[in-house]
Amino acid sequence: MEARNAGQAAHCAVAECDARPALDRILADNQFHATERHRKLLRYLVDEFFAGRSGQVKAYTIAIDVFGRPASFDPATDPIVRVEASRLRAALTQYYETVGDKAGLRIELPKGNYVPHFVVSDRSPDASEIATALKASASELEELVDVASAIVQPKRRPFGLIAVAVAGTAAMAGAFYLSVVERLPWQPVLSAKPTIVIDVPAASGAGAEEQRRAGDYLVHALSQFSAVRTLAQAPAPGVDVASVTGWVASAPPVKLQGSKEYRLSVAYSADVKEHQISWQVVDAQSNEALRAGTAKADIDSGDARAVQEKLLARLARSLAGEEGVIVSLEAARQLVSPSIGYGCVLLADVALARIDPEGLASAHACLEQSVTYQATDPDVLASLATVLVATGEASASPTVAARAVKLADKAVALAPQSSQSYIAQMQARFASGDTEAAFMSGRRAVALNPLDDAIPARLGLLLFVSGQYSEGVSLARVAEMGCEYVHHDAALTLALEDYRNGKYREALTRARQLANPADTAVNLLRMAAAGQLGLTREATSALDGLQRNKAGSMRSIESELAARGYTPELIALLDDGLGKAGVRLASLH
């Protein structure tokens, strides 16, 4: 450990009078895309470093001092410090790649500890710096060598034991080297979207045709979702699927470079009364069963094919939709092992679903970094365009709006069959004011993937707020019927329609179900509906949450709604309800 500390001290040899201005510059720079939480963490780590207390900084102390966690905080069960430190690293890397040598002095946070490094940013890391980083932990490697020497030195040791010892030492040394290299700030971890290998083994007898058709349709359905890559697994011969639910094929695994692989094992059965599908998701690397389920459907319409396709479409949505099983598993994996690339896309998806401003800021920084390494990844480009719109930056700045459109257009050009690329293009075009082109992109997305309920939900909301009420509501109804949990945008569209038609109690009920302090539109609707119903306390509660979330904003909420494409008629209807609650849109910021 002394060697490591010495290496860090040499790397961080900088005067406090030089480091403090560098810290102040980055914290004040608009190009540093970091949340207030990350800025507070960075200042804390620098303060502790110059106070000589870096050696005492642990995940627990950060959680207590920076994030306000209680004394009972357990870093083993709550990964907040590790996750936020990783996001801060990503924001720092993206910032310095943006400003280049103008930064003068770089503040870096190496992976594996919370000790900031201060380096001159006038050159790229070379072989000597890598050697220095490795040398800083030389004592650990020497201990491994000493252990091996103690085993192999006695002359009468069996040859097999010696070979095992040497091989083991080499493996540990290799793992050690890779772990050190991974901690270097210029070695990002790139991730790719997961792969689902579909395994629907051939059946015999009366159910053989249904089983084969189920496999074909499931491959087709999953391939329409942009969140996963889909591969069909050749069935192994001689397996009785009917006797083993959730059987996993023993055929050689199909590998895609850099992609986490999941195997979807499916057994499908049908008779004259009902169809049933049993499924299981398995980690292909560990063979661990992760999720499983069963679904049934009665054949009451006489169309067995339609019943089968409905069951399989529902399964596809539950696996690869916005909050599907595979997406959720990958999002959890991203928290444990942060990465850029597809990992950033997942961060954005989670933040968008939760309408989480801090999460969006973190995803923004992560995606910006990803673009520097993956300038032709359509998923990254589309996600970044979507985040620029969701944060409000695109509607506030014509320059940002133009960039969002450019990113989305590039994503469409690279992946013309991806519905997500067209959704990003729809949102970017709408934010830039090109509504008709936006609706064309949205309809193209619906055509590419009619199974994804999030697409008609998003398109329906944009149509509705722009005044095309009937079509917007129709799409929201489509999204409502197709999924177990109504998508946020579909629910908001239906709530606004209830309010527009004077159904204030129904509108308030829907708004309560969507309640989120960061959701401006929902809180306004809740206030307006409460005002129409004379529920003063409810309106006051919604107003307090809205004002806390918008504290410090110079932009009026009325102008924000207009920038989001809300028609004057819809804004006036909301303002009428707010007036009855004792407030006006023009006075809200």
Side-chain angles (χ1 to χ4, degrees):
M1 290 302 295
E2 291 178 1
R4 175 175 293 179
N5 290 338
Q8 287 181 346
H11 192 61
C12 299
V14 63
E16 184 173 359
C17 61
D18 294 326
R20 290 291 183 185
L23 174 64
D24 292 339
R25 280 195 299 273
I26 186 174
L27 292 178
D29 196 333
N30 291 331
Q31 296 184 85
F32 182 42
H33 299 295
T35 65
E36 285 305 313
R37 174 182 286 180
H38 299 147
R39 294 169 188 271
K40 185 178 179 181
L41 173 58
L42 180 60
R43 184 175 290 281
Y44 172 82
L45 294 177
V46 172
D47 287 345
E48 293 300 290
F49 177 82
F50 285 110
R53 295 190 293 266
S54 276
Q56 303 169 28
V57 174
K58 308 295 180 187
Y60 179 82
T61 56
I62 292 174
I64 302 299
D65 297 343
V66 180
F67 301 146
R69 288 294 197 265
S72 59
F73 173 79
D74 182 2
T77 58
D78 187 345
I80 182 173
V81 177
R82 186 168 64 254
V83 171
E84 297 302 334
S86 175
R87 291 172 176 173
L88 174 58
R89 285 189 199 99
L92 286 168
T93 302
Q94 188 271 327
Y95 171 74
Y96 288 123
E97 286 170 352
T98 301
V99 301
D101 294 343
K102 292 186 295 183
L105 184 69
R106 295 168 62 104
I107 305 174
E108 297 176 351
L109 186 60
K111 192 173 182 180
N113 62 71
Y114 303 110
V115 180
H117 284 187
F118 304 88
V119 295
V120 177
S121 59
D122 58 353
R123 57 186 177 85
S124 299
D126 56 26
S128 64
E129 287 177 313
I130 296 177
T132 300
L134 292 171
K135 202 171 181 181
S137 295
S139 60
E140 295 179 14
L141 185 57
E142 288 171 4
E143 289 178 8
L144 296 177
V145 175
D146 289 342
V147 171
S149 299
I151 296 175
V152 302
Q153 277 180 0
K155 294 182 180 179
R156 295 186 180 180
R157 290 285 185 185
F159 178 78
L161 181 58
I162 295 173
V164 170
V166 173
T169 304
M172 288 187 289
F176 166 75
Y177 173 84
L178 292 175
S179 70
V180 172
V181 169
E182 186 184 11
R183 289 200 296 266
L184 297 176
W186 57 84
Q187 293 286 340
V189 178
L190 297 171
S191 58
K193 67 173 65 175
T195 301
I196 300 180
V197 180
I198 300 175
D199 173 25
V200 185
S204 58
E209 180 61 21
E210 284 82 0
Q211 185 85 341
R212 182 196 63 76
R213 200 162 53 224
D216 291 344
Y217 186 81
L218 194 52
V219 171
H220 163 73
L222 282 169
S223 66
Q224 297 184 61
F225 288 85
S226 302
V228 297
R229 294 188 284 190
T230 310
L231 295 177
Q233 175 69 62
V239 177
D240 182 8
V241 179
S243 64
V244 184
T245 301
W247 172 80
V248 181
S250 57
V254 180
K255 292 287 185 183
L256 289 180
Q257 186 65 31
S259 177
K260 174 69 176 180
E261 184 183 325
Y262 298 92
R263 291 188 176 276
L264 174 62
S265 180
V266 174
Y268 198 93
S269 61
D271 56 34
V272 295
K273 292 185 178 180
E274 70 173 16
H275 282 215
Q276 176 174 306
I277 182 170
S278 299
W279 57 273
Q280 185 180 57
V281 174
V282 177
D283 185 320
Q285 284 71 41
S286 66
N287 220 33
E288 177 186 2
L290 302 172
R291 296 286 191 279
T294 301
K296 299 179 181 181
D298 295 332
I299 303 177
D300 51 7
S301 65
D303 189 346
R305 175 72 69 89
V307 172
Q308 182 186 57
E309 291 185 357
K310 184 177 180 180
L311 265 178
L312 293 168
R314 188 187 307 163
L315 174 59
R317 280 193 296 269
S318 69
L319 291 171
E322 278 193 355
E323 299 185 46
V325 170
I326 302 298
V327 175
S328 299
L329 288 169
E330 285 292 288
R333 199 161 70 94
Q334 171 69 7
L335 290 176
V336 176
S337 303
S339 62
I340 64 173
Y342 181 72
C344 303
V345 175
L346 284 172
L347 287 178
D349 288 345
V350 171
L352 287 165
R354 297 177 180 175
I355 312 180
D356 176 10
E358 286 198 357
L360 283 172
S362 296
H364 185 186
C366 189
L367 289 165
E368 292 283 9
Q369 184 188 14
S370 297
V371 167
T372 64
Y373 290 95
Q374 299 177 306
T376 58
D377 187 317
D379 296 313
V380 170
L381 297 172
S383 185
L384 180 54
T386 301
V387 167
L388 290 175
V389 173
T391 57
E393 294 179 55
S395 58
S397 167
T399 302
V400 177
R403 185 185 178 216
V405 170
K406 185 177 180 180
L407 288 166
D409 287 349
K410 187 174 181 180
V412 167
L414 290 167
Q417 296 303 310
S418 167
S419 58
Q420 288 306 110
S421 295
Y422 280 99
I423 283 295
Q425 190 180 59
M426 174 189 76
Q427 293 173 326
R429 285 176 168 179
F430 192 84
S432 68
D434 194 354
T435 56
E436 288 307 312
F439 299 148
M440 286 179 61
S441 298
R443 293 184 179 105
R444 174 62 175 160
V446 171
L448 283 169
N449 188 358
L451 302 181
D452 190 349
D453 300 306
I455 300 175
R458 295 190 188 284
L459 174 59
L461 179 60
L462 297 188
L463 285 163
F464 186 90
V465 300
S466 63
Q468 299 186 44
Y469 302 124
S470 178
E471 187 177 0
V473 170
S474 294
L475 286 169
R477 297 288 184 201
V478 169
E480 183 184 39
M481 288 187 297
C483 59
E484 186 175 353
Y485 301 103
V486 183
H487 188 278
H488 170 276
D489 288 7
L492 178 56
T493 298
L494 297 174
L496 287 168
E497 172 69 356
D498 282 339
Y499 181 86
R500 194 175 73 91
N501 291 327
K503 299 178 180 179
Y504 303 124
R505 194 162 297 280
E506 290 87 341
L508 182 58
T509 298
R510 290 186 185 272
R512 286 170 176 167
Q513 293 169 349
L514 293 172
N516 182 332
D519 195 332
T520 300
V522 167
N523 280 304
L524 282 175
L525 178 60
R526 183 181 164 203
M527 290 168 57
Q532 297 285 6
L533 294 168
L535 303 176
T536 306
R537 183 176 297 178
E538 176 103 21
T540 302
S541 174
L543 176 61
D544 289 344
L546 184 66
Q547 289 179 329
R548 281 197 303 271
N549 185 64
K550 291 292 182 180
S553 174
M554 299 300 294
R555 191 180 188 186
S556 73
I557 290 180
E558 185 175 14
S559 63
E560 182 179 330
L561 289 178
R564 289 188 186 189
Y566 278 62
T567 64
E569 177 193 1
L570 202 53
I571 292 175
L573 286 172
L574 291 171
D575 199 25
D576 179 63
L578 293 174
K580 294 177 181 177
V583 294
R584 285 293 180 186
L585 267 175
S587 65
L588 294 175
H589 287 82

